[in-house]
């Protein structure tokens, strides 16, 4: 009898991300164009920077450099969120971080389902930014009740996806055949539906309450609303988009362009107006349009400590006090200058970022440290000063609420800007999710601490062996 072997969750995630990419390219041709620009710019950047190319080769990530890093969906109910969590768990994706977007005028709160830990991230870092609609922020009580009733009736998962998720949970994994079926079934949840779930009048009412409410409530499923490959030169792709007939959002979100990249920079092309139809009470279909789907690119830098993040948040706020980026791009250049000026106080040197405790680093034994001896009490600063250990920035794997709000807003249009009272409610979100989210700072601190412990273990093992 042969022992059953299960496909690793990393492989299922990779297959899923590839299937999603293929589906989205067919559904949204402009996304295919964006992918082509990204591939070209990445190839040019690598040709001009052999050191970067070597580093990517060494870390085994060269081949996958232009692949998708994340996507996003918006869910309607707690039950959908719970099932989504179980589906993502089969792919080795777990909820990390809590993002409150009510503050930015978007009635959702969110988490990111992502692989956790070095090995899984390296294998395939694909994540899904997942938002839950907050009907509690809608003032019109009647509309709220109607929206709830509509959402209660839909089933966004196929019977096959549910059955295979339960099977994976029961037996601790899926074999080859099941994994293939699981990917195909799970993909269905993310597909676009051009026939709405509601009639045109209801769509309009939902849309008037907030465009995002219409996007979540009016359809059979939470269509993937964007995918995001990694680019090695985000400013260049932003410049090139118009030449290829794609309208980029006004500015790149996040920190300015720097030598030492921090956190996350991202930009997108604006969501497209797509044909959809609505069925009236007599069963006749009426033509209409809906605007939701777009394409995005990202480029990541070092994960910041709470101290570094507080500095980042303060400088970003300063820059936006100086110039608030307009949606039409009319002050984009002024915003870029204000952003660069505001960030002058943030050191642009790895050693300085480390010395000031602003970022998380992974430590490793240098050639000199290899076989050297140190006391178990040695501080990491001492080991660095003695040249026994070196350090590399740990990449930020999460999202930024201000940036996410900017991405949402660029697709909602100015008329949708709306005031909600900021009301973060992580407890409520976690209750709906059925578990708590992982704190991203704790996670990075843990990776850093482990790397220091590994260095010390080797330095003191050498002592013990003497
Ligand atoms: C998600 C926007 C957030 C990001 O990259 O910050 C996001 C959405 O529009 O649903 O994906
Ligand atoms: Ni995104």
């Amino acid at each position: 009898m042969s022992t059953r072997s299960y496909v690793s969750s990393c492989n299922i995630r990779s297959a899923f991300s590839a299937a999603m990419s293929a589906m989205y390219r067919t559904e949204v041709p402009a996304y295919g164009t964006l992918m082509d620009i990204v591939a070209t710019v990445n190839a040019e950047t690598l040709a001009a920077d052999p050191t970067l190319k070597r580093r990517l080769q060494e870390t085994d990530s060269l081949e996958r450099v232009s692949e998708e890093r994340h996507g996003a969906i918006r869910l309607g109910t707690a039950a959908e969120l719970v099932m989504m969590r179980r589906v993502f768990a089969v792919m080795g994706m777990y909820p990390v971080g809590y993002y409150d977007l009510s503050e930015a005028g978007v009635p959702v709160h969110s988490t990111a389902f992502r692989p956790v830990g070095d090995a899984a991230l390296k294998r395939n870092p694909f994540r899904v930014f997942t938002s839950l609609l907050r009907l509690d922020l809608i003032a019109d009580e009647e509309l709220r009740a109607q929206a709830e009733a509509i959402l209660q009736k839909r089933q966004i998962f196929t019977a096959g996806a549910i059955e295979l998720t339960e099977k994976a949970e029961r037996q601790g994994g899926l074999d080859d055949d099941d994994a293939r079926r699981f990917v195909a079934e799970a993909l269905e949840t993310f597909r676009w539906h051009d026939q709405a779930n509601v009639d045109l009048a209801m769509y309009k009412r939902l849309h008037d309450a907030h465009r995002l409410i219409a996007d979540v409530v009016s359809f059979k499923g939470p269509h993937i609303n964007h995918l995001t490959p990694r680019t090695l030169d985000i400013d260049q792709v932003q410049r090139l988009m118009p030449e290829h007939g794609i309208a980029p959002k006004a500015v790149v979100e996040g920190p300015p362009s720097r030598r030492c990249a921090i956190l996350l920079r991202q930009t997108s092309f604006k969501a497209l107006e797509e044909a959809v139809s609505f069925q009236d009470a007599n069963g006749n279909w009426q033509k209409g349009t809906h605007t939701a789907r777009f394409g995005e690119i990202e480029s990541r830098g070092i994960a910041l400590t709470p101290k570094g993040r507080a500095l980042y948040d303060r400088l970003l706020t300063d820059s936006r006090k100086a110039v608030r980026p307009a949606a039409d791009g009319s002050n984009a250049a002024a915003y870029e200058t204000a952003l660069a000026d505001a960030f002058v106080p943030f050191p642009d040197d790895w050693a300085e970022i480390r010395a000031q405790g602003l970022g998380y680093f992974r430590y490793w034994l240098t050639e000199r440290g290899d076989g050297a001896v140190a006391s178990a009490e040695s501080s990491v600063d001492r080991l660095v000063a003695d040249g026994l250990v070196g350090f590399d920035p740990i990449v930020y794997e999460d999202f930024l609420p201000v940036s996410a709000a900017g991405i949402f807003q660029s697709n909602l249009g100015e008329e949708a800007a709306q005031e909600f009272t900021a009301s973060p409610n992580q407890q409520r979100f976690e209750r709906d999710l059925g578990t708590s989210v992982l704190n991203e700072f704790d996670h990075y601190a843990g990776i850093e601490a482990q790397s220091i412990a590994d260095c010390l273990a080797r330095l003191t093992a050498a002592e013990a062996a003497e």
Side-chain angles (χ1 to χ4, degrees), residues 23 121 148 159 201 250 304 328 362 366 373 395 405-406 424 426:
M23 178 176 84
L121 282 163
E148 262 163 23
L304 299 183
D328 64 3
R362 183 178 286 104
T366 59
V373 176
V395 176
Q426 183 165 349

Side-chain angles (χ1 to χ4, degrees), residues 170-202:
R170 218 168 35 238
Q171 43 179 45
L174 294 175
D175 66 19
D176 228 17
D177 241 25
D178 281 345
R180 241 193 310 276
R181 274 177 49 218
F182 171 83
V183 168
E185 295 284 346
L187 194 65
E188 289 307 307
T189 299
F190 298 84
R191 194 180 287 287
W192 177 247
H193 299 278
D194 60 6
Q195 295 187 331
N197 235 359
V198 297
D199 63 24
L200 187 56
M202 177 53 82

